[in-house]
Amino acid sequence: MDARFTCLVFLLFTVVYSKSNNLEITSFHVQSDIRYRFATTLVTSTVANSDNKSVEAKFDVTLPDAAFITEFVMEIDGKLYPGEINEKEKAKKKYETAKKKGQTAGIVSQKPRHTNRFSVEVNVAAESSVTFNLTYQELLERVYGEYEHIIYIDPGQIVEDFKIDVAIHESRDITKVSVPPIRNDILSDSSIDEGKNALVTINRPTTKSAMIHYAPTTDDQKQQSDQGISGLFVIEYEVERKFDGGEVLVVDGYFVHFFAPSGMKPIPKDILFILDVSGSMSGVKIQQQRDAMDKILQDLNEEDRLNIMEFSSKSKLWQKSLVSVNSNTTHNAREFSKNMAANGGTKANDALEKGIQFLNNVKLDTQRIKLIVFLTDGRAETPSNKILKNVKTYNTKGITMFSLAFGNNADYTFIKKLAVQNKGIARRIFEDSDSSLQIKGFYDEISSATLQNLTFKYLGKDDKVVENVTRLNFDTFFDGKELIIAGKMSDDDVNEVDLVVTGDGSDGHIELSLDSDVNKGVPELTKPEDFHKITERIWAYLTIKQLLESAIEVDNAEEKTQLNQKALDLSLKYKFVTPLTSMIVTKPDEKDVGSFEENEDAQLAVSGQSFNSPVQHHGQPGSASMYSAPLPVYSRGPSGGSFSGGAGGDPHFMVRMKGLELPVCFNIKAKNGEILQLVKDPVSSVTINAAVVESTARNEHGDLKTFFGVLVLRKPTVEIVVKPSSIYFNGASLSWDDKAVFRMENVAIIVKYVGRHDRTMMIDFGNDVIVSIRRHMKQDTNMAMSYLNIYIEKETGISQFASGVLGELVHKSTKLFQITLDKQGNEHGHFLEVGDGHMYRFYTNLDQKQNVITGEDTTCWNVPQPMEGLLDDNISKYIVPDMHA
C-alpha cells in the first residue's frame, strides 16, 4: 500500500462583499492544454454586480509551487487591463507609484508559503461586471508512475456557467486516463478504489490524446451543497513505457528528452532513519511518526538493510550495525518504533554527525545505495549554518539525505538546504489527520531507486550538437518518477542526434541509446503550429527551476547573485512570474489592491539579493495599460466608385496621425474580389490583408457598395482568418460567441459583445501590435450583407519599414499648415506630410463621420480625392494576388 501525494492546483474565485450581497459569479471556466507534460492553464471568471452601487470583488487563485504565472488580464467596462512582468524591485517601485496616484494596483511578490496564491481585488461598478483571466504554466511531475493535474474547485456559490476542459497530447500512447470523484485535500490510502466522476466525459480522438470535459449543472452543484462544489478535480494519466532511452522532441532548434525506463529491479539500499523524539514531538505527532514507520518498515525489500536512530537530547541507535530485512528484523524494528517516546531537547547536529559516520563505516558496495531519511519538528539547538557546515565535512562519501520538516515550527530553511546540499529532496509535512500518510507517501517516492550515477550524452557527427543544456548528471533515478533534460541544438544543420544514457543498476552498468531524427520533429501531430516553441519554453522553465535550486544550495553570495541574475534574465525574456519577478495590474483612478504569496523555496532562492535588469528589448510593454494606444488607426471596407465618404456615409479609412488632433478620413477605389494589403512589416513580421466583397446595396452615386468580407492576419507560426461567420487560428476553429481569452503562440484574442449579433475582437500579437476587428451582421444593418471593420489600436510595434495602406501611415509626420473657408463657410485643411524622405501635400474637407468601431460621430479631415498626396496614387501598389501574400 502507498499513500497518494499530489501537487495540488488550487483554483478558486472568492467574492468579497461590501455592504451588498448582489455579486454573482456568472461564469467560471478552466481550460488546460497539456502537451508532453507541459500544462498551460487559463482560469477565466466573470462576476456581475446587480446592485445600484459599486461592490468589491476578489479573484483568488492558488497555484502549485511548480507553476509560473505567464499572463493576467482584467476586463472592466469593456477595456482590457493586462499585467506587466517586471524585475521584482522595479515592480515594487511601480506599485508604490500607482498607490500614491490612487490607482488600482495588484502586485505579485513573494511570501513564503507551500503554494503560490494570486489574488486581486477590484470595485465592480453598479449593474456591471468584471472578467478575470489568469494563465500559468507548469511541467507536470510524474509520481507513483503517473501524472496528475489537480484543480481545486471552491466558487463559494452556485455558478450558472461552470465548466472545465482539459486537452492532453503526448508523443507516446496514453495508457490510462481517469477522473475520480471530487475529493478533499486530505490524503487517503490509495489502495481504496475511488471510482469515477459520473459527470465527466473523456474522449480519445487518438491513442496519443484525450479530451476531458466537466460541466456540472446548477442542480449538480446544489446536490453537494448550497454553496456549490468544493474539492479537488483530479485528472490522472500515464503514457506507454519501455526499457529504452526515452522520448526526444526536437522542435525549432530546441530539444526535450523525457527519461523514465520501466522493467528495472530496485537497487538494494542501506537506509538509516534519523527520527526526532524530542519533547515537542509529544502527543499526536509522535503517534503519527510511529504509524508512518510501521507502514514503511513493512514495505522494505528483502535485499535492503536498515537501522533506526532516535534523537532528542541524546542520540540512540536501534542496532549497532545495519540489519538485513526479513520477517524477524522487520517485527523487531516495528516494535522499536512503536515504543518511541517524546522527551528532551533537539540535538540534531549530534544525530546527523553520528548517523553519517555510521554509514561511512559501512563497506562500500557499488551494487547498493546509501540513504538517510531525517525528520524533525523543531529547531536544532546548534545553529543551522554550523550543522550544514559540519554535515559537509562529515559526508565525504556522498550519502544522499532526504529531509522532512514536520509541522509549522520546523526550520524549513535548514531542512531544505540540508537536502539540496546532499543530493536529496526536502518536504514539509503538515500537522493534520493525514500526517502519517504524508510521511509514508514521501518515502514511497524515494524508496525504489533503479539507477544511480546517470550521465546523459547527446552526440552527432562532430560530437558537440547541443548547448545550453540543463542538468546532465543525476545521482539517482527512482521508479515511478521521470527525468527531463532540455537544451538548444548547436547548429541548425544538425539532422540527427545520437543519445546515450549510462548508469549503474542492480545488475551492474547499463547503457541505453536512442536515435532522434531532427527533421521529423513530432510526426504524431498534424500541424507544426501545435508544438511551436513548446520545447523552448520547457527548456526555459527547467533552466530557471534549476538555477533557483542551485541558488538555494550555494553559500557564496556572489555565486548566488550570478545564478539569480541568469534566472531573472530568462524570467523576463519568457515572461514568467518567478521568485525574481513580479506582476503589476494597474487600473486608472481606483485604489490599489492585489497580492501574491509564494512557496517557502522562493525566499530561499532569492535570499535578499538585488539584480541588474537587462535592457528591455523591442516589443516589451512599457506600461500595464498596453491596450490604450495614443495613435489608433481605423479602417473600414472601401466603397467602389465612392469619392466622398463611403457606403452609408461612413469613412472608408479613419487614421490618427502624428501631429494631428483630428483623424484623417479617405477612400480607396477597390473592386469586388481584390485584396488590399493593409500592413506588411518586415520587423514585427505582422501582415494584414483584406478581401473586398460587393453588396447588393448602392451608394449615392449608384455604385455597388463594397466592404471587407475576409481578413487574414499573420506573423511567423500564426495565421488568423476572420470572417463574419467564423474565426480560424492556425486552422483551428474559434467562436465569435466565446468571451474567454484565447492564447496561443504568444497571441491573445478576446471577443466583446456590442450588440445582439455584433462583436468586437481584440488581437494582441504580443509584440506591441494590437488590432481590433468589428463584426457587423446583416441582421443588424441595412447593407444586405455581413462585413468587417478593422483598426490598429496599438501600433508602436510596427516599424518605419512597414508597407500597406495603413502600414505606410503609422510613422509619417503630418502638419496642418493652413485652414481656409469656402463660400458656404465649410472648413478645408491644407496638409504637409513628411515620410520616407519626401514631402507631400494634400487637401481635405472638415466632415462629421461615424466611427464604425465605436459607433460615435467623429469629426475628421476627409480627403476628397482618393489618396491624393496621402498615399501612392497607384492603387495597384496596395493590391496583392492572394490573402497569403
Side-chain angles (χ1 to χ4, degrees):
M1 296 189 303
D2 69 309
R4 178 63 49 133
F5 180 85
T6 56
C7 185
L8 304 183
V9 182
F10 299 97
L11 302 174
L12 59 148
F13 185 88
T14 304
V15 175
V16 181
Y17 297 102
S18 177
K19 300 180 182 180
S20 172
N21 291 327
N22 292 321
L23 278 177
E24 178 188 4
I25 302 173
T26 59
S27 70
F28 181 78
H29 295 173
V30 180
Q31 294 175 288
S32 285
D33 183 17
I34 304 171
R35 294 175 184 267
Y36 323 111
R37 296 71 148 169
F38 196 61
T40 301
T41 301
L42 169 65
V43 185
T44 302
S45 191
T46 299
V47 60
N49 175 22
S50 60
D51 208 338
N52 58 5
K53 56 182 178 293
S54 64
V55 181
E56 188 176 70
K58 182 179 181 181
F59 178 71
D60 198 343
V61 177
T62 305
L63 313 169
D65 53 10
F68 290 155
I69 293 174
T70 59
E71 184 177 63
F72 176 70
V73 179
M74 288 191 298
E75 182 182 2
I76 304 171
D77 299 331
K79 296 181 180 180
L80 298 181
Y81 296 89
E84 176 190 355
I85 296 174
N86 273 296
E87 187 265 325
K88 185 180 176 184
E89 293 304 316
K90 180 183 290 186
K92 283 185 176 179
K93 292 177 182 178
K94 290 191 175 185
Y95 174 69
E96 293 301 325
T97 301
K99 231 175 139 183
K100 291 176 182 178
K101 292 181 179 179
Q103 296 176 323
T104 297
I107 183 171
V108 177
S109 61
Q110 269 86 301
K111 262 190 171 181
R113 294 290 189 275
H114 183 64
T115 55
N116 305 336
R117 171 167 291 186
F118 175 82
S119 61
V120 63
E121 299 174 8
V122 64
N123 284 322
V124 185
E127 299 179 351
S128 67
S129 64
V130 58
T131 298
F132 302 91
N133 301 275
L134 179 77
T135 304
Y136 66 88
Q137 292 182 315
E138 62 172 322
L139 192 58
L140 298 182
E141 182 183 6
R142 186 170 182 252
V143 183
Y144 310 129
E146 64 183 28
Y147 306 96
E148 290 190 336
H149 192 50
I150 306 178
I151 300 167
Y152 185 75
I153 306 167
D154 189 16
Q157 59 181 262
I158 305 296
V159 181
E160 182 74 29
D161 183 10
F162 188 126
K163 66 178 179 179
I164 298 174
D165 288 292
V166 179
I168 305 173
H169 301 271
E170 290 290 345
S171 57
R172 284 187 174 179
D173 286 352
I174 298 174
T175 57
K176 170 193 174 181
V177 184
S178 62
V179 180
I182 301 292
R183 67 174 190 240
N184 60 31
D185 57 0
I186 300 298
L187 301 184
S188 59
D189 196 320
S190 65
S191 64
I192 302 173
D193 186 8
E194 296 177 290
K196 297 180 179 180
N197 190 322
L199 301 178
V200 169
T201 58
I202 301 176
N203 293 318
R204 297 294 305 273
T206 69
T207 58
K208 297 177 174 63
S209 63
M211 309 294 289
I212 296 95
H213 178 69
Y214 176 66
T217 65
T218 54
D219 289 337
D220 294 330
Q221 298 171 54
K222 290 175 183 176
Q223 285 182 9
Q224 186 171 55
S225 76
D226 293 337
Q227 285 74 45
I229 296 175
S230 178
L232 279 76
F233 181 82
V234 183
I235 296 168
E236 303 166 341
Y237 80 94
E238 172 61 328
V239 300
E240 181 185 18
R241 298 293 169 189
K242 304 174 184 176
F243 181 64
D244 61 9
E247 309 160 68
V248 178
L249 309 180
V250 185
V251 181
D252 297 329
Y254 287 83
F255 78 91
V256 176
H257 178 198
F258 300 101
F259 180 77
S262 64
M264 293 181 294
K265 294 191 300 184
I267 300 173
K269 56 184 175 289
D270 293 336
I271 185 167
L272 174 64
F273 297 94
I274 302 179
L275 307 175
D276 189 344
V277 293
S278 62
S280 59
M281 284 285 292
S282 62
V284 174
K285 282 194 288 188
I286 192 69
Q287 183 58 49
Q288 290 176 324
Q289 181 170 265
R290 293 178 193 137
D291 293 342
M293 284 303 299
D294 191 63
K295 293 182 175 66
I296 289 170
L297 291 169
Q298 294 179 68
D299 280 355
L300 290 170
N301 298 318
E302 289 188 358
E303 295 83 6
D304 295 336
R305 299 185 301 195
L306 84 147
N307 205 348
I308 304 171
M309 176 188 287
E310 58 178 21
F311 76 94
S312 54
S313 299
K314 295 182 178 180
S315 303
K316 176 185 176 182
L317 277 169
W318 169 51
Q319 299 290 332
K320 292 182 180 180
S321 61
L322 290 171
V323 297
S324 298
V325 173
N326 55 48
S327 58
N328 184 51
T329 56
T330 299
H331 172 77
N332 293 336
R334 292 174 66 191
E335 288 299 314
F336 177 80
S337 65
K338 287 178 182 177
N339 293 322
M340 287 187 295
N343 58 74
T346 310
K347 291 194 174 181
N349 184 70
D350 294 347
L352 288 167
E353 178 183 353
K354 291 178 181 178
I356 293 171
Q357 289 177 347
F358 173 82
L359 283 183
N360 280 342
N361 291 330
V362 175
K363 184 179 178 181
L364 180 65
D365 185 346
T366 57
Q367 302 299 308
R368 305 184 68 84
I369 185 170
K370 293 181 180 181
L371 305 175
I372 286 178
V373 176
F374 174 76
L375 182 150
T376 184
D377 78 325
R379 297 182 180 272
E381 296 178 8
T382 305
S384 60
N385 60 340
K386 184 175 181 180
I387 299 176
L388 293 169
K389 184 177 179 181
N390 291 339
V391 168
K392 187 178 292 185
T393 301
Y394 307 143
N395 194 12
T396 56
K397 296 187 178 181
I399 298 169
T400 302
M401 302 185 68
F402 299 97
S403 52
L404 299 170
F406 195 170
N408 296 328
N409 295 323
D411 186 353
Y412 182 78
T413 299
F414 161 62
I415 290 297
K416 179 69 177 181
K417 282 182 170 289
L418 179 66
V420 298
Q421 290 180 359
N422 294 278
K423 305 180 298 183
I425 301 171
R427 180 74 48 80
R428 180 178 288 284
I429 303 299
F430 294 97
E431 293 182 56
D432 213 321
S433 61
D434 65 340
S435 295
S436 61
L437 290 177
Q438 294 178 54
I439 298 170
K440 175 61 166 59
F442 176 77
Y443 171 78
D444 289 341
E445 290 184 48
I446 53 94
S447 63
S448 294
T450 56
L451 286 172
Q452 58 180 333
N453 306 319
L454 284 93
T455 299
F456 290 77
K457 296 180 181 179
Y458 303 92
L459 307 173
K461 292 181 180 179
D462 300 321
D463 285 344
K464 186 179 179 181
V465 293
V466 297
E467 59 189 21
N468 297 332
V469 184
T470 57
R471 187 177 171 186
L472 286 170
N473 301 300
F474 298 83
D475 297 294
T476 314
F477 171 73
F478 296 101
D479 188 41
K481 306 279 279 187
E482 184 172 57
L483 300 178
I484 303 175
I485 302 93
K488 188 177 187 301
M489 308 305 296
S490 58
D491 193 329
D492 292 338
D493 295 329
V494 174
N495 295 320
E496 190 171 303
V497 177
D498 294 329
L499 157 69
V500 178
V501 184
T502 60
D504 299 317
S506 60
D507 297 326
H509 188 74
I510 69 162
E511 182 173 300
L512 299 173
S513 62
L514 184 72
D515 294 335
S516 176
D517 188 340
V518 176
N519 291 327
K520 289 182 180 178
V522 188
E524 291 84 2
L525 294 182
T526 57
K527 301 183 293 294
E529 56 268 17
D530 285 338
F531 52 86
H532 177 72
K533 295 288 186 182
I534 188 171
T535 50
E536 184 176 352
R537 289 194 71 80
I538 293 176
W539 167 80
Y541 175 97
L542 276 176
T543 302
I544 293 169
K545 288 288 185 183
Q546 292 181 10
L547 287 168
L548 294 176
E549 188 81 357
S550 297
I552 295 174
E553 181 180 355
V554 301
D555 294 321
N556 182 278
E558 182 178 353
E559 189 176 353
K560 181 187 287 285
T561 300
Q562 290 175 352
L563 290 166
N564 283 331
Q565 183 67 53
K566 291 179 181 177
L568 171 62
D569 293 345
L570 286 174
S571 300
L572 292 173
K573 179 178 179 180
Y574 291 95
K575 298 183 179 179
F576 285 134
V577 176
T578 69
L580 304 166
T581 54
S582 296
M583 180 178 285
I584 301 174
V585 180
T586 302
K587 181 182 185 300
D589 305 321
E590 294 288 343
K591 296 180 180 179
D592 55 74
V593 290
S595 66
F596 190 44
E597 302 172 357
E598 285 194 300
N599 67 83
E600 295 169 293
D601 290 356
Q603 189 179 38
L604 299 180
V606 179
S607 197
Q609 300 296 316
S610 60
F611 315 100
N612 299 316
S613 295
V615 177
Q616 290 192 359
H617 300 284
H618 181 76
Q620 186 171 350
S623 68
S625 300
M626 60 190 292
Y627 290 104
S628 57
L631 296 171
V633 181
Y634 305 94
S635 171
R636 187 222 189 281
S639 173
S642 174
F643 297 91
S644 60
D650 293 335
H652 303 159
F653 291 87
M654 179 182 287
V655 183
R656 291 195 178 274
M657 302 180 67
K658 291 181 179 179
L660 296 183
E661 181 180 353
L662 299 177
V664 173
C665 306
F666 61 94
N667 312 322
I668 290 182
K669 186 177 181 180
K671 300 176 182 178
N672 182 45
E674 290 183 331
I675 299 170
L676 283 177
Q677 187 150 86
L678 304 183
V679 176
K680 188 176 182 64
D681 183 16
V683 177
S684 67
S685 299
V686 171
T687 300
I688 304 174
N689 292 330
V692 178
V693 294
E694 194 173 66
S695 87
T696 57
R698 296 183 180 272
N699 61 20
E700 59 186 3
H701 301 289
D703 299 316
L704 291 175
K705 298 178 179 179
T706 56
F707 302 88
F708 288 159
V710 184
L711 293 167
V712 173
L713 306 92
R714 292 185 294 116
K715 74 170 193 175
T717 76
V718 172
E719 180 179 87
I720 306 169
V721 180
V722 183
K723 301 178 182 179
S725 59
S726 59
I727 307 167
Y728 290 94
F729 187 101
N730 287 342
S733 178
L734 306 181
S735 174
W736 279 103
D737 295 325
D738 192 348
K739 295 182 181 180
V741 174
F742 173 85
R743 178 179 173 82
M744 185 174 286
E745 306 296 346
N746 204 33
V747 173
I749 299 176
I750 187 168
V751 175
K752 178 188 173 185
Y753 284 53
V754 291
R756 183 180 177 187
H757 300 101
D758 286 1
R759 307 283 188 268
T760 297
M761 175 172 58
M762 181 174 289
I763 303 174
D764 180 357
F765 284 98
N767 56 1
D768 280 354
V769 178
I770 301 173
V771 303
S772 285
I773 299 170
R774 175 73 177 268
R775 179 182 79 165
H776 300 269
M777 299 301 285
K778 63 182 180 180
Q779 296 95 317
D780 300 325
T781 70
N782 60 355
M783 298 303 173
M785 68 178 303
S786 301
Y787 61 95
L788 303 168
N789 299 122
I790 181 172
Y791 70 98
I792 302 175
E793 190 166 354
K794 186 175 186 181
E795 81 298 327
T796 51
I798 297 177
S799 75
Q800 60 182 335
F801 304 105
S803 58
V805 176
L806 301 181
E808 289 186 11
L809 296 175
V810 166
H811 295 290
K812 286 186 176 181
S813 179
T814 305
K815 181 180 179 181
L816 176 61
F817 69 90
Q818 185 179 13
I819 298 178
T820 59
L821 295 176
D822 60 20
K823 295 180 180 179
Q824 288 76 34
N826 299 316
E827 293 185 45
H828 302 276
H830 303 260
F831 290 85
L832 284 176
E833 182 182 80
V834 179
D836 60 31
H838 297 84
M839 182 177 293
Y840 306 91
R841 292 175 181 264
F842 63 92
Y843 172 80
T844 66
N845 302 322
L846 190 64
D847 285 341
Q848 193 79 9
K849 302 291 184 180
Q850 185 185 48
N851 184 318
V852 294
I853 300 296
T854 66
E856 300 174 352
D857 287 339
T858 302
T859 302
C860 69
W861 295 107
N862 185 49
V863 183
Q865 298 299 322
M867 305 183 299
E868 180 182 357
L870 189 65
L871 292 166
D872 197 306
D873 292 336
N874 184 7
I875 182 64
S876 63
K877 175 182 176 180
Y878 305 103
I879 295 176
V880 291
D882 58 69
M883 295 295 283
H884 304 284

